Amino acid sequence: MMAATPFLPTGAFGSGRLRLWALPFLTVSLIIVNLQFGQLDSPAWVSVAALCIAVFGIPHGTLDVEIAAARLGRSSPSIKLKIVGAYLLCAGLMTSLWFQVPELALSLFLIVSIVHFSQDWQGKADPFLALMVAWALVALPALTKPVEVAEIFDMLVGNRNGAVIAALLACASAPALLGCFVYAKGSYHSADPQVTVEVISCLIAAIFLPPLIAFSIFFCGLHSPRHMRDAMRETGAISARQKGGIIAAVFMLSAGFGIVLLIGQDQAKIDVGIIRSVFMLISILTMPHFILEHVRPVSPRAG
């Protein structure tokens, strides 16, 4: 069996050639459709992209409580109840922030997302370069599609302050893009085409596709499946039936909360309500999910 190279992350689309070419094939296909028909930036398609982000994004965090309990080395019901309580408290604080200071909520979500997404490549290269890749994926659309990103951010915060956040994000994209290419070049010279193809595909999507469509390609096609695979592996002590039940239950609860957020949106247009409620939901779920990354497994006691 061939040993993995230092840069090699397991991709999201199976194995071999399918895994290597699925992401660029999807990206190029959507670019061609957008160039030929120009409909991917319509409210309908943007709403579909937002719903895909929710549907394919929620599952990869549904096993977080089990993972946290395993890492703490204690899986009793009382410990899990405390973990759930901590999760709900964190989610509640983020929910409150969206309704009280949406600009701060959006800014915090962007920062946390960049750090969180960098985990997709950390361990395979210099952590700073991995951070640059994630930074570029989040910030580049604000540079290449400034009007669209400003409109989305204004939509999320409910005022023109979103455009200011978008402008600041665009200014920060150039150094990140440079670091991103350094990372891609390093992976190419390390004989790892998978990483190079993934990074370049996501960057091309960010340049040529509407922002939410580009983000959904990365989030649904790379980030979520990769973390879902890791979560399934880390909860190997739990039976498949139990995991299926947990995933379904947490997904339904999260989706139900998303519907509550949607109903609570005082918006005349359904697409605006969908986009805002989806991003609120994902950010609310991301905060405790992000904190879990910093919970390290308890070392077994000697003797």
Side-chain angles (χ1 to χ4, degrees):
M1 180 178 293
M2 185 179 295
T5 60
F7 276 79
L8 182 60
T10 303
F13 293 95
S15 60
R17 292 184 179 274
L18 175 62
R19 191 180 71 188
L20 179 63
W21 296 112
L23 193 65
F25 176 79
L26 176 61
T27 300
V28 172
S29 297
L30 289 175
I31 290 173
I32 292 173
V33 170
N34 194 45
L35 290 174
Q36 290 293 322
F37 303 102
Q39 297 295 319
L40 293 185
D41 59 349
S42 67
W45 277 109
V46 171
S47 298
V48 169
L51 289 174
C52 286
I53 290 169
V55 171
F56 293 100
I58 291 175
H60 81 275
T62 52
L63 293 171
D64 281 356
V65 172
E66 301 297 331
I67 293 173
R71 290 183 180 181
L72 292 172
R74 302 169 66 185
S75 57
S76 65
S78 61
I79 290 297
K80 291 182 180 180
L81 188 60
K82 291 178 181 178
I83 295 172
V84 170
Y87 258 58
L88 292 177
L89 175 61
C90 184
L93 290 174
M94 191 63 182
T95 303
S96 177
L97 200 59
W98 270 109
F99 285 101
Q100 300 298 323
V101 195
E103 295 89 351
L104 180 57
L106 176 59
S107 300
L108 182 61
F109 177 49
L110 291 172
I111 294 171
V112 168
S113 294
I114 291 171
V115 178
H116 178 54
F117 293 155
S118 72
Q119 299 296 319
D120 288 354
W121 291 281
Q122 282 192 15
K124 293 89 184 176
D126 182 271
F128 177 76
L129 291 179
L131 183 65
M132 290 300 99
V133 174
W135 187 349
L137 292 179
V138 172
L140 188 58
L143 181 65
T144 59
K145 301 288 190 300
V147 175
E148 292 90 333
V149 173
E151 290 177 351
I152 293 172
F153 284 6
D154 283 346
M155 188 188 309
L156 293 177
V157 303
N159 55 57
R160 291 294 298 169
N161 291 336
V164 177
I165 298 174
L168 293 173
L169 193 63
C171 293
S173 63
L177 184 60
L178 178 60
C180 192
F181 279 117
V182 171
Y183 180 92
K185 182 180 179 182
S187 64
Y188 177 77
H189 286 298
S190 296
D192 180 16
Q194 183 69 44
V195 173
T196 305
V197 168
E198 289 174 352
V199 172
I200 298 301
S201 296
C202 290
L203 289 180
I204 290 174
I207 294 171
F208 293 103
L209 289 173
L212 282 185
I213 301 293
F215 179 72
S216 66
I217 289 176
F218 162 70
F219 193 73
C220 302
L222 193 65
H223 176 78
S224 295
R226 177 176 292 166
H227 279 254
M228 189 67 197
R229 179 209 63 216
D230 292 341
M232 295 294 284
R233 185 187 65 245
E234 198 164 353
T235 54
I238 304 174
S239 69
R241 178 175 294 182
Q242 285 179 307
K243 280 190 279 194
I246 294 170
I247 292 171
V250 177
F251 179 86
M252 294 303 294
L253 287 172
S254 301
F257 181 58
I259 293 173
V260 171
L261 291 174
L262 176 60
I263 294 174
Q265 299 296 320
D266 186 19
Q267 301 289 346
K269 295 182 179 180
I270 185 63
D271 58 294
V272 174
I274 289 175
I275 294 170
R276 191 162 193 267
S277 58
V278 164
F279 269 84
M280 287 177 65
L281 176 63
I282 293 298
S283 71
I284 290 166
L285 297 176
T286 294
M287 297 309 293
H289 180 67
F290 170 74
I291 293 173
L292 175 65
E293 290 185 340
H294 302 280
V295 176
R296 300 305 175 195
V298 176
S299 300
R301 296 179 181 177

